């Protein structure tokens, strides 16, 4: 661990929902849910107003609607999220050359590489306050929660302590005192299964975990996991901030409007996804050793199964054969709503023809299947422009009618108008239509 609190973790608050509220004045201060809007959808992000009603990320849209029926349920606008993220990441890189993005809305920053007079707590606190202010000004009002500590683990924990729009600096030497009262799930890698295993032996808090010997933890959860838990329970984390994060995996998946029950059809879909993954591997000059399938059942239970090759491959037929083999071991009789294939353990070399399969399998024609994200039409939240009324967003659509609220981030809450879905004056808005571009 470092002698100074010099690792910063920045997390944009309720990022997708916050961007929607910024760009849609009528939604400011109101519950907003971003994600799949259909009955089979899943929540990506909920605004803090929606979280008061129990809406959370990864919850089914159906449940979210039952908890907060008056929320605005919107599909994602990834061009807007990417643009906002690029602004924030640019500000972080201006502050320090060592920035490790974790996703569009969070990143680690190494303050030892920043041009600070010193790394004492008052200095890094003042720096973080100024950074948060710059983020808000540059993004049109988005807020960020920031944590600073002597390691990545402590910085991440700290950024969660005072959300939203908070700042917590953990002085060196106080890390273990901070962690001890917390539940063990604060430690990365302690998910439901590990937490239950620890609970069964009376371990609920980090303090209780800290009192367990390394040998006992290894016996409980295995060598690699046990060693990691033993260190993190004592706030020991020497991971560096890595500005260039290597791609960990390449995957392809689809969520379907109707449960899949035909095993042959599932195998064909996996084959197609495997071909897509292999094409992307070759495009980036990569190969991989571990093939994983992701299967979400009708009851939202998500299963992941993996197998590892002795050497990496970028061959679609090989990936597909292994994926189909993994599927064969699962009970999918109740129906499947999501299928996916991924390849990890990436390398920049391959060993040809490991299994005598050098030819890609021909793709069998698939029956018409609608993925949730492929549904045509005017999606709630999408940007539109009308020839006479200007720019707005889709409020809702159905029965041949699309309703639009005409407003932007730069205008007051605007009027609502309805049109026929084939009105020639109404068009989807695209970033390249922005006159500022």
């Amino acid at each position: 661990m470092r002698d100074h609190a010099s690792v910063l973790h920045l997390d944009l608050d309720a990022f997708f929902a916050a961007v929607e509220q910024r760009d849609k004045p009528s939604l400011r201060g109101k519950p907003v849910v971003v994600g799949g809007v259909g009955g089979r959808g899943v929540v990506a992000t909920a605004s803090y107003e929606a979280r008061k009603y129990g809406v959370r990320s990864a919850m089914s849209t159906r449940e979210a609607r039952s908890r907060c029926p008056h929320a605005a349920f919107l599909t994602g606008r990834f061009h807007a999220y990417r643009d906002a993220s690029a602004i924030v990441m640019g500000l972080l890189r201006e502050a320090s050359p060592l920035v490790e993005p974790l996703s569009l809305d969070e990143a680690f920053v190494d303050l030892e590489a920043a041009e600070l007079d010193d790394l004492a707590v008052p200095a890094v606190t003042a720096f973080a306050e100024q950074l948060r202010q710059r983020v808000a000004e540059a993004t049109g009002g988005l807020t960020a929660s920031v944590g600073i500590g002597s390691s990545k683990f402590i910085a991440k924990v700290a950024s969660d302590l005072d959300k939203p729009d908070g700042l917590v600096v953990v002085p060196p030497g106080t890390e273990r005192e901070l962690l001890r009262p917390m539940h063990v799930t604060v430690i990365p890698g302690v998910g439901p299964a590990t937490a239950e295993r620890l609970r069964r032996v009376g371990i609920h808090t980090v303090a209780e975990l800290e009192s367990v010997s390394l040998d006992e933890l290894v016996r409980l959860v295995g060598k690699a996991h046990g060693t990691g838990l033993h260190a993190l329970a004592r706030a020991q984390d020497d991971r560096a901030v890595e500005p260039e994060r290597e791609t960990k995996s390449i995957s392809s998946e689809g969520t379907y409007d109707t449960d899949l029950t035909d095993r042959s059809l599932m195998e064909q879909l996996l084959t197609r996804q495997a071909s897509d993954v292999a094409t992307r591997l070759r495009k980036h000059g990569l190969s991989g050793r571990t093939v994983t399938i992701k299967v979400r059942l009708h009851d939202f239970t998500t299963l992941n199964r993996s197998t590892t090759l002795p050497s990496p491959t970028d061959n679609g037929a090989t990936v597909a054969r292994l994926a189909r083999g993994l599927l064969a071991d699962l009970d999918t009789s109740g129906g499947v709503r999501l299928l996916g294939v991924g390849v990890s353990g990436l390398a920049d070399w391959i060993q040809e023809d490991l299994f005598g399969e050098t030819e890609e399998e021909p793709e069998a024609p698939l029956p018409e299947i609608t993925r949730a994200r492929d549904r045509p039409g005017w999606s709630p939240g999408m940007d539109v422009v009308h020839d006479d009324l200007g720019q707005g967003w889709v409020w809702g659509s159905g029965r041949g009618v699309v309703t639009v609220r005409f407003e932007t981030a730069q205008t007051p809450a605007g009027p609502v108008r309805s049109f026929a879905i084939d009105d020639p004056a109404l068009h989807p808005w695209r970033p390249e239509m922005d006159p500022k571009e």
Side-chain angles (χ1 to χ4, degrees):
M1 289 173 52
R2 303 183 181 197
D3 295 331
H4 298 92
S6 58
V7 179
L8 180 149
H9 179 261
L10 180 141
D11 190 1
L12 292 162
D13 299 315
F15 179 50
F16 294 171
V19 171
E20 298 300 340
Q21 290 175 318
R22 179 197 66 183
D23 295 346
K24 298 173 171 60
S26 60
L27 298 184
R28 293 171 188 168
K30 298 179 180 179
V32 174
V33 178
V34 179
V37 297
R40 309 304 303 273
V42 176
V43 174
T45 304
S47 70
Y48 284 92
E49 295 86 355
R51 295 182 191 188
K52 294 177 182 178
Y53 295 87
V55 180
R56 296 288 183 270
S57 299
M59 176 182 288
S60 72
T61 300
R62 182 179 288 107
E63 182 177 354
R65 287 186 186 277
S66 69
R67 289 174 179 259
C68 191
H70 58 290
F73 286 82
L74 309 176
T75 55
R77 296 182 307 130
F78 287 96
H79 69 86
Y81 311 147
R82 284 193 297 267
D83 290 348
S85 175
I87 291 171
V88 174
M89 297 303 166
L91 290 174
L92 298 184
R93 292 188 177 98
E94 288 177 9
S96 170
L98 297 182
V99 175
E100 180 181 338
L102 302 178
S103 60
L104 287 176
D105 59 344
E106 63 175 319
F108 287 113
V109 181
D110 192 332
L111 299 183
E112 287 187 348
E115 296 180 359
L116 300 181
D117 293 335
D118 65 71
L119 295 173
V121 169
V124 297
T125 301
F127 170 83
E129 287 285 14
Q130 294 170 5
L131 177 63
R132 292 169 63 246
Q133 183 177 349
R134 290 198 297 271
V135 166
E137 292 172 351
T139 61
L142 299 184
T143 64
S145 294
V146 170
I148 302 178
S150 54
S151 68
K152 292 166 78 171
F153 172 43
I154 295 299
K156 179 68 168 69
V157 170
S159 69
D160 286 333
L161 293 179
D162 191 25
K163 281 182 165 291
D165 197 20
L167 168 61
V168 175
V169 180
V170 181
T174 68
E175 297 90 352
R176 293 168 80 164
E177 179 184 347
L178 172 75
L179 293 174
R180 281 172 179 148
M182 296 183 175
H183 195 269
V184 289
T185 50
V186 75
I187 296 178
V190 180
T194 300
E196 175 60 19
R197 193 171 301 174
L198 295 173
R199 185 195 66 79
R200 289 175 182 173
V201 294
I203 301 172
H204 305 86
T205 67
V206 176
E208 292 167 341
L209 184 63
E210 185 184 359
S211 68
V212 180
S213 69
L214 176 58
D215 289 343
E216 179 65 10
L217 278 177
V218 169
R219 186 187 68 80
L220 284 171
V221 298
K223 183 176 181 180
H225 201 16
T227 302
L229 292 183
H230 186 266
L232 291 177
R234 292 157 178 77
Q236 296 170 359
D237 176 22
D238 61 358
R239 293 172 299 157
V241 176
E242 301 174 2
E244 297 296 331
R245 286 172 55 87
E246 294 182 1
T247 301
K248 302 298 183 182
S249 65
I250 291 179
S251 61
S252 175
E253 65 180 44
T255 301
Y256 303 95
D257 277 348
T258 304
D259 285 341
L260 307 177
T261 55
D262 186 315
R263 181 59 70 101
S264 175
L265 176 57
M266 294 182 209
E267 292 178 346
Q268 292 178 59
L269 290 167
L270 286 177
T271 298
R272 175 172 289 185
Q273 291 171 339
S275 176
D276 176 54
V277 168
T279 298
R280 290 161 59 195
L281 285 169
R282 291 191 294 271
K283 178 181 177 181
H284 295 286
L286 297 171
S287 58
R289 296 180 61 224
T290 299
V291 175
T292 301
I293 65 168
K294 178 180 178 181
V295 180
R296 182 166 296 151
L297 303 178
H298 66 289
D299 61 357
F300 278 84
T301 300
T302 302
L303 306 174
N304 293 280
R305 296 293 185 270
S306 301
T307 186
T308 299
L309 297 164
S311 298
T313 184
D314 65 358
N315 183 272
T318 299
V319 175
R321 183 175 59 79
L322 294 174
R324 293 193 300 268
L326 293 168
L327 180 69
D329 293 332
L330 299 180
D331 179 8
T332 59
S333 57
V336 168
R337 67 186 310 274
L338 178 147
L339 276 177
V341 177
V343 173
S344 57
L346 302 184
D348 57 2
W349 60 278
I350 61 171
Q351 181 171 319
E352 297 288 354
D353 196 20
L354 285 174
F355 297 94
E357 294 179 356
T358 57
E359 297 295 326
E360 294 288 341
E361 297 179 6
E363 255 193 28
L366 290 175
E368 289 296 323
I369 302 174
T370 303
R371 296 188 302 176
R373 68 179 183 182
D374 291 338
R375 285 192 299 270
W378 302 95
S379 301
M382 73 179 289
D383 294 316
V384 296
V385 62
H386 189 275
D387 289 345
D388 299 321
L389 299 175
Q391 192 175 339
W393 57 278
V394 174
W395 180 276
S397 64
R399 298 185 179 181
V401 174
V402 56
T403 300
V404 177
R405 182 180 281 276
F406 288 96
E407 62 183 7
T408 68
Q410 289 76 39
T411 69
V416 176
R417 300 287 186 271
S418 294
F419 308 90
I421 59 171
D422 56 355
D423 190 317
L426 187 65
H427 319 279
W429 181 89
R430 297 179 300 278
E432 58 267 27
M433 300 170 69
D434 191 332
K436 294 181 294 183
E437 296 294 325

